[in-house]
Amino acid sequence: AEKLRGNDATKEMKGQAQRMQNEKNKLRKHLANAFAEERRKADEQRLQFEEEKLRGNELRQILKRQMLKVHQLREEQRVRYERQRMWSEAGEQQQRKKRYERQRIQPAASEQQQ
């Protein structure tokens, strides 16, 4: 009878050890899943950050191109304005020259008539 009780106790201890081992394995699995989930979240955040960084770089490049276009257009407008001003000044100079010539000729002609 004592031998049977010893066997029962041994079986009970083995069963308890098995249950503890199962519990330990469950906890390990749960912990591994939790770490994997954290790692996945961190990877996802890093990927999102990289995408935002790239998007930011793209936007910066677009902005630089736009600013360059604006600068070029302003420069072209300034050059056109300068040319127009030079031509109008040249035209005014021609007009003054013609007026001067007419004024010089008219008094001479009026003196000849007198």
Side-chain angles (χ1 to χ4, degrees):
E2 236 176 80
K3 195 175 184 185
L4 283 176
R5 233 180 289 136
N7 282 344
D8 285 347
T10 305
K11 279 183 185 177
E12 181 62 33
M13 284 178 61
K14 282 184 180 177
Q16 194 173 358
Q18 187 62 46
R19 283 192 299 278
M20 286 174 67
Q21 188 64 40
N22 288 346
E23 188 64 28
K24 195 165 113 180
N25 288 342
K26 268 188 205 173
L27 288 173
R28 271 194 191 141
K29 197 174 189 179
H30 181 72
L31 199 57
N33 286 340
F35 279 132
E37 181 67 19
E38 286 299 313
R39 206 170 25 251
R40 187 188 64 73
K41 282 181 182 175
D43 289 346
E44 204 172 277
Q45 281 180 334
R46 191 169 42 253
L47 186 65
Q48 190 175 0
F49 173 75
E50 290 296 323
E51 285 175 355
E52 287 173 6
K53 197 165 117 181
L54 284 174
R55 202 171 312 126
N57 286 342
E58 285 175 25
L59 291 174
R60 236 185 322 286
Q61 290 298 324
I62 290 170
L63 185 62
K64 279 182 184 176
R65 283 194 297 267
Q66 293 292 339
M67 293 300 285
L68 187 63
K69 281 181 188 175
V70 166
H71 179 71
Q72 287 171 339
L73 288 172
R74 282 187 181 151
E75 188 62 23
E76 287 172 14
Q77 196 174 19
R78 187 189 64 77
V79 168
R80 267 197 305 267
Y81 173 76
E82 286 294 317
R83 277 197 200 124
Q84 198 174 20
R85 192 175 59 78
M86 284 171 38
W87 281 107
S88 64
E89 282 178 7
E92 286 174 18
Q93 216 167 11
Q94 286 291 96
Q95 291 293 328
R96 279 196 295 267
K97 194 174 177 182
K98 284 180 186 175
R99 252 185 269 131
Y100 175 73
E101 290 292 322
R102 267 190 255 125
Q103 285 174 358
R104 212 178 62 174
I105 294 170
Q106 281 179 353
S110 62
E111 284 176 15
Q112 287 174 356
Q113 285 177 352
Q114 288 175 356

